[in-house]
Amino acid sequence: MKKIALFGATGSIGRSTLDVVGTIDGFCVSAISGHRNLELLHQQAERFRPRWVILTDGSAAKEWNWSLPKGTELCVGMKALTEIAAEAEIDIVVSAIVGRAGLESTAAAAKAGKRIALANKESLVAGGAVVKRLAKENGAEIVPVDSEHSAIFQSLQAGKRSELERVILTASGGPFFRMPDEELKNVTLAQALRHPTWNMGTKVTLDSATLMNKALEIIEAKWLFDLDMERGELEVMIHPQSVVHSMVEFRDGAVIAQLSPPDMRLPIQNALTYPDRIGGGPTRRTNWRLDQTLEFFAPDYSRPKFDALKLGMETALRGGTAGVVLNAANEMAVSAFTRGELRFDQIVPTVRQIVEEHDFQPEPTLEELTVLDEEIRTNFRTPEN
Ligand code: NAD
Ligand code: MG
């Protein structure tokens, strides 16, 4: 039995992970965490009977009024994540918290040499250099859950690293791919929350609408696969159907892709079972009896609509503190948009300005990243309309 610590169990990825674990053999859940959805966390605890239930938001603890199954302990606060990530009995840490809040627990799992099934892309965007170094020093294995990175991870197995020409990261283009640029200023929260192909948590859905999700994924891919951005080892293609989850091109011109219906349960399952592939799980099949068309469009980087991609490329190339700043500014801008304090088309330019104006450092420590992250959040202001 492989024992899993699932951080962010009550979210979209967390629930899909429990769907997978509940259907396949060989895995059990030792720890689950949730921030505010206490009722769901309690239901999950009743069903999976983990050793630890972690309520990360300490202020919500007084609302906890359930008893837990015998043998299950309730832990409160973020610190419990880093402690439990390092517990000897944990084999796999599923990092599925949203936002920079996932960084410390991901870093703790790397330090403890665990397998990390990584959904929390923000931890690599904000602290890629640190997480990668900790993983390397302590023999931790990061297996991506993000569908594009899972596809790249799988496709890379068709050749040697030295034979890689480039990685082609696909993007659905979000709900506004076909909308003229000048109409983006009128986009409402409800429209931005309607993603055409994926059903996900609020933040990643909004990031997909602005294309900042792809900016984060460019940076995530750079860290995961050690891509040489200067050599052009990463390209983005718009693929509205989200069936080809990404591709890898080798030096002989062969392009290897991974295809499946848009459903996170496959990349989640793969991150748990790798290097094995198993049947009998909840993953969906491609229906080859249906006619279907797959489209690919190269993004036009000169259009405002694709500026997030350009910003992602520049940030990945720069490294250092650029990622943590981009991520913090984006988290703040997204929440300002959800409160109606920022227009949809102001999100990316606001983030760009903050990234360009910050005091760049090439090799920050984790502590320096944390301080800078706080600073960006505290100083965040929405532009005068
Ligand atoms: P979600 O909002 O549905 O769930 C987030 C989880 O994190 C919840 O369990 C919540 O309780 C917890 N959480 C929220 N704030 C927290 C905090 N401050 N401290 C500790 N825990 C906190 O998000 P999601 O869609 O499941 O996404 C999770 C991560 O996976 C994100 O980084 C996202 O980019 C990535 N991802 C998601 C999808 C998807 O299909 N949903 C796909 C690829 C990658
Ligand atoms: Mg993705």
Side-chain angles (χ1 to χ4, degrees), residues 369-384:
L369 290 176
T370 309
V371 171
L372 185 57
D373 180 80
E374 268 310 309
E375 226 174 85
I376 296 293
R377 287 168 203 263
T378 314
N379 298 335
F380 182 85
R381 301 281 176 277
T382 51
E384 303 292 328

Side-chain angles (χ1 to χ4, degrees), residues 47 50 102 119 125 184 194 232 248 260 293 349 367 373:
R47 169 145 186 241
V125 175
L184 291 174
R194 237 173 281 134
V248 160
S260 51
T293 304
E367 291 68 36
D373 180 80

Side-chain angles (χ1 to χ4, degrees), residues 121 146-149 198 200 204 213-214 217 220 264:
K121 61 192 89 186
D146 210 346
S147 55
E148 295 79 358
H149 304 73
W198 292 98
M200 314 177 282
V204 58
N213 181 52
K214 214 46 61 178
E217 291 187 354
E220 180 187 15
M264 289 308 293

